[in-house]
Amino acid sequence: LSLDEQTGNFQVGKDFDALRVNVAAPGGPIDLIKYEEPQIRLEKFLNLGDDRNIVEVFVAGRKVVPFREASADRTTTFLTGSDKSD
């Protein structure tokens, strides 16, 4: 496909597509045990997750979909399933 100059790693100037997820989303399909390794949380999201777990979508480095607006006092941590309250 000859896309090596556009994609493939995290170098500045390359396209960046990503999902920001919350594996512990209220009403979501994923059951979490008290502490699980990040790899297990990722596997659960890949196998069980749905739109309730997706917080933001980035395409070519631009945020294109904020599914939910994060409140000022809560931030979601990528694949940790923890919400931090101030």
Side-chain angles (χ1 to χ4, degrees), residues 2-86:
S2 300
L3 296 174
D4 294 348
E5 298 298 318
Q6 290 179 276
T7 65
N9 56 40
F10 296 107
Q11 289 180 338
V12 175
K14 293 203 175 182
D15 289 345
F16 177 73
D17 296 347
L19 297 177
R20 184 169 154 240
V21 303
N22 178 0
V23 294
I30 300 172
D31 291 328
L32 297 175
I33 298 174
K34 187 172 184 176
Y35 178 78
E36 293 179 313
E37 297 291 329
Q39 179 180 347
I40 300 299
R41 292 173 186 256
L42 175 61
E43 289 172 1
K44 285 186 173 186
F45 171 70
L46 293 175
N47 290 297
L48 302 170
D50 63 20
D51 62 313
R52 293 172 285 183
N53 299 107
I54 298 172
V55 178
E56 295 175 317
V57 177
F58 294 84
V59 176
R62 294 183 180 166
K63 182 167 62 170
V64 295
V65 179
F67 280 90
R68 295 181 197 91
E69 291 297 324
S71 65
D73 60 340
R74 295 180 69 171
T75 57
T76 306
T77 305
F78 177 72
L79 288 179
T80 65
S82 65
D83 287 340
K84 297 178 182 177
S85 296
D86 293 337

